[in-house]
Amino acid sequence: MRVMVLVKATDDSEAGVMPEEQLIDEMGKYNEELVKAGVMLAGDGLHPSSKGVRVRFSGKERSVIDGPFAETKELVAGYWLWQVRSMDEAVEWVKRCPNPMLTDSEIEIRPVFEPEDFGEAFTPEARERDARLRAQTSQR
């Protein structure tokens, strides 16, 4: 199963406080373990929400909202995409992670939808298109 591992933002990450050398080294070693184990598919840190935008959808209308965004606890400061055997395995990997922030922090783990999760609505045509797009993106 694939999971998205979300590093929740803190007041410090939203203020643009960068990690110190020791944390960068610890996270680098942790990421190496994930890669060697065949778990990590992707991962990156994100700039504070002050550098981001949101696009709001209301029917056919679209509006752009500039950051920063309120409710730091609901924001994401970074992510990994992992391939694991189970949610329990993902939890065990997260428990081994160095604290990614300078203060108390949280990491959220969510399963990624797979084609079979969509049932009959994911038609053979949609499956073909999905496979073609995945093949194209993996060539980058």
Side-chain angles (χ1 to χ4, degrees):
M1 75 183 291
R2 290 180 303 149
V3 294
M4 179 68 72
V5 181
L6 304 165
V7 178
K8 304 301 280 237
T10 64
D11 289 339
D12 283 341
S13 67
E14 277 297 288
V17 176
M18 297 301 288
E20 295 179 3
E21 183 178 341
Q22 180 181 346
L23 179 55
I24 291 171
D25 184 56
E26 290 173 359
M27 291 301 287
K29 289 175 182 174
Y30 178 70
N31 285 336
E32 284 178 350
E33 287 182 54
L34 291 168
V35 170
K36 286 178 184 174
V39 170
M40 185 171 160
L41 302 175
D44 282 299
L46 302 174
H47 281 273
S49 69
S50 61
K51 295 187 177 187
V53 299
R54 290 181 177 170
V55 178
R56 179 180 168 87
F57 291 73
S58 181
K60 294 186 179 201
E61 299 295 317
R62 307 292 185 265
S63 57
V64 177
I65 304 158
D66 293 325
F69 307 114
E71 296 300 322
T72 298
K73 66 182 179 183
E74 300 300 324
L75 298 174
V76 176
Y79 72 94
W80 287 281
L81 182 62
W82 291 351
Q83 181 76 47
V84 292
R85 289 182 299 277
S86 66
M87 186 62 80
D88 288 340
E89 181 187 6
V91 168
E92 289 306 312
W93 275 107
V94 168
K95 285 180 175 180
R96 294 171 55 187
C97 182
N99 183 351
M101 298 295 172
L102 303 173
T103 60
D104 290 351
S105 65
E106 290 185 1
I107 294 179
E108 180 179 338
I109 308 168
R110 304 217 359 229
V112 173
F113 278 114
E114 300 294 349
E116 58 272 9
D117 295 326
F118 294 99
E120 292 179 19
F122 201 57
T123 64
E125 295 80 11
R127 288 178 190 276
E128 182 181 314
R129 179 178 54 240
D130 182 67
R132 184 180 69 251
L133 292 172
R134 287 180 189 277
Q136 289 174 354
T137 58
S138 69
Q139 295 173 0
R140 293 183 179 187

